[in-house]
Structure formats: structure tokens, C-alpha cells
Amino acid sequence: MTPPLGLPLTLSRVFRRTPLAWRQVTHRPMRLVAAIAGVSFANVLVFFQLGLSGGLYDSQKRPIQRINGELVMVSGRYLYLGEQLNFQRARLSQALGVEGVRAVTPLYIGLSEWLNRDNHQQKQALIFGVTPENPGLRIPEIDRQPQLLQRSDSLFFDTRSKKNAGPVVEIVKQQGSYDTELRGVRAVVTGLFTMGVTFAADINLITSSTNFKNYFPDQHSDDIQMGVIQLEPGVNPLQVKATLDSFLDPSVKVMTIPQLADTEVKYWRRNTSFGIIFGLGVLVGLAVGCIIVYQILYSDVSDHLPEYATLKAIGYDDGFVVGIILQEALILAVLAFWPSLLLSLGLYGFLASSTSLMVQMTTQRAALVFLFTLAMCSGSGWLATGKLRQLDPADIF
Amino acid sequence: MGAPLVATPDGRAEAPLIEVSHLDHAFEDAGQRKPVLHDICLSVFPGEIVILTGPSGSGKTTLLTMLGGLRAAQSGSLRILGSELLQAQKSTLTALRRQVGFIFQAHNLLPYLTALANVRLGLEVQTAWLDQGQPAMDACALALLEQVGLGARSGAYPANLSGGQKQRVAIARALVARPRLLLADEPTAALDKESGRDVVDLFRHLADDTQASIVMVTHDNKILDSADRIVHLDDGRLVEGS
């Protein structure tokens, strides 16, 4: 028999061999199922930790994903959403002259103290001011009922705000409005919307640009915090950004929405320690997986030591015998990955609905966990072959 | 014990497959040197069956493992199938083992492979056989199983075979690649009288047909008559037997 064309000879020899590793792992199906369950469990632990920490940071992007445009203009010193860095509205108007720009609209952003009427405690609130005719944030609840923002003290309240804001949602639903104060200024919640809070504040509020100025009386009337730039359909945002960068004053900078989101996640990663905490969780998951795989393969080696010695005695070299165990490790890794991926998808769905965090499976994360499990299994497999490498075939006589 | 005897029969023209001269061997045990073999000289010629006897602890298993390239020689000379094993590298030993058939006291079959696949492992270690493809290897392995009377049990797993049947599968695995040298440690211990006889006949055919050399360690008096020569080991020294 000649090897198939294009297939290297050594590779075709591999396929003619008895697949010892495969035969061995599948020989006892119940044991295989237990092994897969063990490795899957470790993978799910890792997915869980990555999902929570990723979700925590991804959730910081939520207001940014609502921005009603393709580019934003921010202060040159911009670090994260919530820091009140002003620039002149005239800078935003400069963008109107650039080809491809359809419209611009200001987005006012400020932090204030919200009074919980029940316990008289103040909580940090992030307030967005939007112009009603072209709002800088896409909020369908406001689009449906813009008249609710007509009062000079009215606001929309994010239903995902922390509970320490008070029973706002219940009262608005029952009585139509909730009266309180923002840094001593009367504030009336007349509507509700759902977006999700960030690390910057416990409460999200949206109001009109006119009302925003009532809550921040010290602010100069020409100052804005973010400019939303809306482009004509089919225009490349990066191209417009390049044009803007070429003539704008360095006191402002232009970013695409993904760049802004990235900046936000990076800022919170630097300034919070959740990454380390969940990183440790990932390590624990990997350690559990390593121990499970090591146990399985080590007992396999110990149970079959005379057989492996026999293989060495009849002329198979050390690499071949060690290779059997490593292949078993890789088979376990590949077989265990898919059930753990399925389980994790379910788990992510549950986490997303029960914690309001943005817990999403990405190809990148799935690939990362697959690499982790490959490394984990082959590492433990290598450790488990220690006895095998030392094994002297003369000892079986 | 007198002067060592050189176990070389007269009147042979071919080169011996095994040439041992002045071989000493010692084990390190807790820092102490424990000598096991002293000044062994032995030649085995093609087509010859040599039976190695001796009390336990006399070093016969050690000698057998050295003949099969399972241990490198420490001093003296050990030439097997033309390669010198004095201070030999691991790769030299591995290459030699592929040309040697081994039958161990314990059958050591892989429990997750059928009888046929276990025998085929003896072929897969040879690239020449691998290149012939699986159908050719299967046919050859099946032919050997038929020769040891297990043609009908080729698809059975070791767990479903009796002790004697497992031993015969192990014998088929050792013979399948037509080794020029066959080394066997108590090959008939697990077999009844009749199948023991069949196995010895099989060895005789192998020696006569392919001019292979066979070295056997055995306590089984019933098969001593099959040997061309019996050599006796006593306390690590070789004595030419009856």
C-alpha cells in the first residue's frame, strides 16, 4: 500500500498505528465520563471567573454603547466617564464643517449627590444631559415619552441603579413621580429607563440639557463634557477622526466608540483590583483541573506499568510511550472542552439575567479557555509520565 | 567452581548471533556493588535452541535481559546480532530490541486491545511493516494467532481469555515480526502439558525454518529435550550442562 498523495510518509505511518491513547481512554466508558466531568468542571470554574470579571468590566461600557453617534469629542485630559472635564461647545461646532459629518450634539455629564429620602443618606449619581431634539444617548424610554422631561426639575431614573437610592422605581410606578434633591436642588423623577450602572456612581439619571444646567449652576453655559458626532451613512469614522485630529486644538480629542469603550474598561482595570481577585479564581480552577487530570493519568500509568515496560522491551522508545499518556491528556482536553462550553453558555445566561452584569461568551474567551485546558492537561500529563520515563524495561522480567 | 567454560560447539561455519565474552555485571544496591554475573562467555549460533537453567538468584534472568538489549553491558563484550552493547546508548538498545522477540513470564498484554491488536503491536514497531498498511499487518498477526491455536479468538480482549490463552497471544506477539533472536522466560509455565508441547514445537520450527536463535530460561523438565544445548548458571558463573 502506498501512502496517499501529499501526505508525508511519517504522518501516514501515524495513522496506520493502533491508536493506543484513544483505545485506552475509551476502554472504560464510565471512567472516561467521570474524567470528562472532572475536567469540564475545572473549565466551567475558569469560565465562571472570567465571565464575572469580564462582565464586571464590560458592564462599564454600557452608557458608552448607548451613545447616539459614531465619534465623540472629549477633553484632552479625558480618563473615564463621570469625571467632569469641560471644553467649549464651539470646539464641537468646528466638526460640523468636516465632510461626512451629518450632525453634532452635546452630551452633558456630571456627578452629583442624590438624597435617599428614606434614610437621608446621600449617594453618588451620574447625570447625563441630552438635547431633546437630538439626544446624545439612545434611550427608547425617553423617545417614547419626551414630554416627561418638559418640567424644569424632571429626570429619568435608571431602574438598574443600586437599591440604596430608595424605593424610586416602586413609587414612580405607583404614583407617577418621586421627589428628592440633588445637592440641595429639587429633583423629580418622572420616568424610568434601563441601562445599568457603572463603577462611577450608584445611580444613573438622564435629564434635558436645560435641566442639567439647574443641577450644575457653577458650570459656564458654553461648557460641555462630551460632543457626539453623527456621520453620514457609509462614512468611515476613522477617516473623519483623522481629519478632525489634523486641525483640532489639543485641548480636545476625538475617539471612536470602540476606543472610548476600551479606554473605560482599561481605566477601571487599572483602578480596581477585581482582575487580581478573579485571576486567582482562574488559577484555582486550573489547579483543580491539573489535580484531576494528574490523578487520572497517574493512576493509568501505575495500573499499566508492566504493559508500558513491555512496550519499551519490544522496541518502542521512551518518546512513544510518554506520547501515549500525552495524547490521552490532549484527548481529555478536547473532549471535556465542549460540554464545559455548553454549560458555561447556560451559566452566562443565568449570570447575565440574575446579576445585570454584561456576562457574554466571546470567541476570544472560549479560545483562551481552550488553550488553558490544553496547557493544563498536557502539563499534568507530562508530570504523570515521570515514572514512565524512568521505567526500566529490564524490571519486568 | 573451576575455570570458566566457553560454551561454543565445534564445527559451525556461520557467525554466531550472540557472542558474549568475559562479561561481568553488578548491581548497585544502596551504594554497595552486588556482583551477579562473572566472566560469562557464550556463543549462540543461528538455528540453535539454548536452554538456560539454574537456581533462582543465579543471574539467569539478568543474563537474559542483557542478551535482549534491556541492559547495557558494563565490562567485557556483548555482541548481539552484530551490535556491541558494551556501554551502549539507549537508542542502540531500542533498535536492537526491535529485532528480538521477547516472551515474559507475565503476559503483559494491553487490556484495552484485542488479541489481534496486541499481536499487531509487535509489527507496528517496525517501519517496514507500518508501510505495508494495516490489512497486511492484520493478516500476518492473524496467521500467527492461528499457529498458536487462537485464530478463532482474535477479537477477544485479554480479560476474556484464560491464562494459557493470554500466554499464547504473548508468544504470537513475540514471533510475529519473525525475530532472528527469541528470548523467553518460562514460556510454558502458564500452559498445560499439551499446549506447552505445541509452543516448543513452534520454537523448533522457527529455529529450523528461519535459522533464528532461541534462548529460554525454564524449570520445565518436560521441554528440556527440545534444546540443542543446556547451559547452567550457578552463582553468576556459566557451566556447560548435559
Side-chain angles (χ1 to χ4, degrees):
Chain A
M1 229 172 84
T2 52
L5 213 68
L7 201 61
L9 197 60
T10 43
L11 195 63
S12 82
R13 280 177 189 153
V14 167
F15 287 115
R16 284 171 186 172
R17 287 192 188 282
T18 306
L20 289 179
W22 176 252
R23 290 284 163 78
Q24 174 142 1
V25 292
T26 53
H27 183 57
R28 291 203 222 148
M30 283 322 290
R31 202 170 164 170
L32 176 63
V33 168
I36 289 176
V39 179
S40 300
F41 173 73
N43 287 350
V44 170
L45 269 181
V46 172
F47 268 125
F48 179 73
Q49 303 290 334
L50 289 178
L52 274 186
S53 76
L56 217 46
Y57 290 117
D58 282 346
S59 303
Q60 306 308 313
K61 300 181 198 166
R62 272 207 273 234
I64 291 166
Q65 287 173 338
R66 296 292 188 100
I67 289 174
N68 189 16
E70 289 74 31
L71 292 171
V72 289
M73 185 182 290
V74 288
S75 158
R77 293 181 289 130
Y78 177 88
L79 282 175
Y80 72 100
L81 204 70
E83 195 183 17
Q84 207 161 350
L85 291 171
N86 304 329
F87 63 92
Q88 287 183 352
R89 188 175 178 161
R91 299 265 176 244
L92 180 60
S93 307
Q94 283 183 290
L96 272 175
V98 174
E99 200 183 315
V101 175
R102 177 169 54 84
V104 296
T105 184
L107 181 60
Y108 298 89
I109 303 168
L111 282 173
S112 188
E113 277 84 49
W114 161 278
L115 179 71
N116 177 336
R117 240 171 35 187
D118 292 351
N119 59 13
H120 298 282
Q121 281 186 347
Q122 296 209 319
K123 289 291 156 199
Q124 190 106 121
L126 184 63
I127 309 170
F128 297 94
V130 297
T131 53
E133 50 292 353
N134 184 6
L137 287 179
R138 266 187 295 256
I139 305 293
E141 293 91 335
I142 298 179
D143 293 346
R144 278 198 296 273
Q145 299 165 295
Q147 75 282 357
L148 292 180
L149 276 183
Q150 275 168 1
R151 284 178 54 163
S152 67
D153 49 12
S154 58
L155 301 129
F156 271 63
F157 179 89
D158 188 345
T159 56
R160 290 222 178 114
S161 299
K162 299 261 175 71
K163 292 280 173 281
N164 59 22
V168 185
V169 176
E170 294 79 357
I171 291 179
V172 171
K173 278 182 180 164
Q174 284 163 18
Q175 303 167 9
S177 69
Y178 180 95
D179 282 34
T180 187
E181 290 175 6
L182 275 170
R183 212 177 273 161
V185 181
R186 181 180 150 90
V188 182
V189 174
T190 52
L192 299 171
F193 71 101
T194 302
M195 184 166 77
V197 290
T198 64
F199 291 140
D202 291 345
I203 298 156
N204 282 337
L205 298 167
I206 297 181
T207 188
S208 67
S209 46
T210 345
N211 292 359
F212 185 88
K213 286 164 188 163
N214 296 334
Y215 296 113
F216 297 93
D218 299 342
Q219 188 184 294
H220 196 275
S221 64
D222 283 343
D223 279 348
I224 63 172
Q225 288 75 44
M226 188 177 278
V228 178
I229 300 168
Q230 298 158 334
L231 304 181
E232 305 279 2
V235 175
N236 180 4
L238 286 173
Q239 216 159 4
V240 177
K241 173 179 150 52
T243 316
L244 287 168
D245 285 344
S246 68
F247 71 83
L248 277 175
D249 187 85
S251 66
V252 292
K253 58 184 174 187
V254 174
M255 287 197 257
T256 63
I257 302 300
Q259 281 168 347
L260 190 70
D262 209 36
T263 307
E264 189 75 8
V265 171
K266 275 191 186 141
Y267 175 81
W268 290 115
R269 271 192 197 283
R270 260 202 314 276
N271 288 280
T272 55
S273 47
F274 299 110
I276 296 163
I277 295 166
F278 289 109
L280 285 176
V282 168
L283 280 184
V284 169
L286 290 176
V288 167
C290 282
I291 292 166
I292 291 170
V293 174
Y294 180 79
Q295 271 301 121
I296 293 165
L297 296 178
Y298 183 82
S299 70
D300 170 36
V301 168
S302 304
D303 291 353
H304 299 299
L305 218 47
E307 287 85 359
Y308 289 124
T310 305
L311 286 178
K312 281 192 177 187
I314 64 179
Y316 289 99
D317 54 26
D318 289 5
F320 181 86
V321 179
V322 168
I324 296 174
I325 302 296
L326 290 183
Q327 286 170 45
E328 281 180 43
L330 293 182
I331 289 170
L332 282 182
V334 172
L335 289 184
F337 178 72
W338 304 105
S340 66
L341 183 64
L342 265 180
L343 272 172
S344 301
L345 282 171
L347 183 71
Y348 279 15
F350 173 74
L351 280 178
S353 65
S354 61
T355 65
S356 79
L357 284 176
M358 262 171 78
V359 187
Q360 293 167 330
M361 182 64 76
T362 58
T363 340
Q364 225 179 346
R365 183 175 300 155
L368 181 72
V369 174
F370 186 61
L371 283 182
F372 275 163
T373 185
L374 282 185
M376 169 178 94
C377 287
S378 42
S380 322
W382 176 252
L383 286 181
T385 58
K387 235 187 199 178
L388 217 47
R389 279 172 274 144
Q390 319 258 292
L391 182 66
D392 185 349
D395 291 342
I396 56 159
F397 266 98
Chain B
M1 288 284 114
L5 293 169
V6 181
T8 319
D10 306 313
R12 291 266 188 179
E14 313 97 312
L17 295 183
I18 296 176
E19 256 186 301
V20 186
S21 56
H22 306 293
L23 178 73
D24 292 320
H25 199 79
F27 288 121
E28 291 287 334
D29 190 20
Q32 280 208 310
R33 236 176 106 81
K34 261 182 65 187
V36 267
L37 295 176
H38 301 284
D39 203 25
I40 303 287
C41 295
L42 173 72
S43 295
V44 180
F45 290 86
E48 208 180 6
I49 297 183
V50 174
I51 284 183
L52 201 55
T53 63
S56 53
S58 60
K60 52 190 193 307
T61 296
T62 306
L63 181 56
L64 201 64
T65 56
M66 295 185 77
L67 295 182
L70 299 186
R71 296 178 201 282
Q74 294 165 343
S75 71
S77 169
L78 178 63
R79 284 188 79 80
I80 310 292
L81 304 178
S83 11
E84 174 59 63
L85 301 189
L86 182 67
Q87 316 289 356
Q89 298 291 312
K90 234 176 176 182
S91 55
T92 315
L93 296 177
T94 302
L96 174 71
R97 289 174 204 157
R98 292 182 185 163
Q99 304 173 56
V100 178
F102 280 105
I103 299 165
F104 311 98
Q105 265 185 57
H107 56 79
N108 294 339
L109 299 176
L110 296 183
Y112 45 86
L113 295 185
T114 61
L116 187 76
N118 263 295
V119 175
R120 202 174 57 212
L121 278 184
L123 290 174
E124 287 179 13
V125 75
Q126 320 267 2
T127 22
W129 270 104
L130 268 185
D131 289 343
Q132 293 196 44
Q134 231 187 50
M137 289 192 283
D138 281 345
C140 179
L142 187 62
L144 242 299
L145 278 175
E146 275 162 0
Q147 278 191 49
V148 295
L150 285 175
R153 304 287 285 145
S154 66
Y157 285 91
N160 300 324
L161 295 172
S162 71
Q165 287 173 326
K166 281 187 267 204
Q167 185 61 1
R168 280 185 277 158
V169 175
I171 290 168
R173 178 178 62 191
L175 298 183
V176 71
R178 305 273 159 208
R180 292 167 67 205
L181 175 60
L182 180 71
L183 302 174
D185 194 10
E186 302 282 4
T188 57
L191 302 179
D192 59 53
K193 194 178 165 194
E194 200 177 329
S195 20
R197 198 69 243 173
D198 289 347
V199 165
V200 171
D201 288 343
L202 196 64
F203 287 178
R204 185 75 261 173
H205 282 302
L206 181 78
D208 292 346
D209 297 351
T210 66
Q211 288 297 294
S213 300
I214 298 174
V215 179
M216 241 191 293
V217 166
T218 188
H219 288 108
D220 189 352
N221 290 325
K222 299 186 292 292
I223 63 169
L224 289 181
D225 62 320
S226 62
D228 295 313
R229 209 145 44 99
I230 296 173
V231 288
H232 189 76
L233 258 182
D234 198 4
D235 201 20
R237 291 173 201 281
L238 207 58
V239 189
E240 191 79 17
S242 47

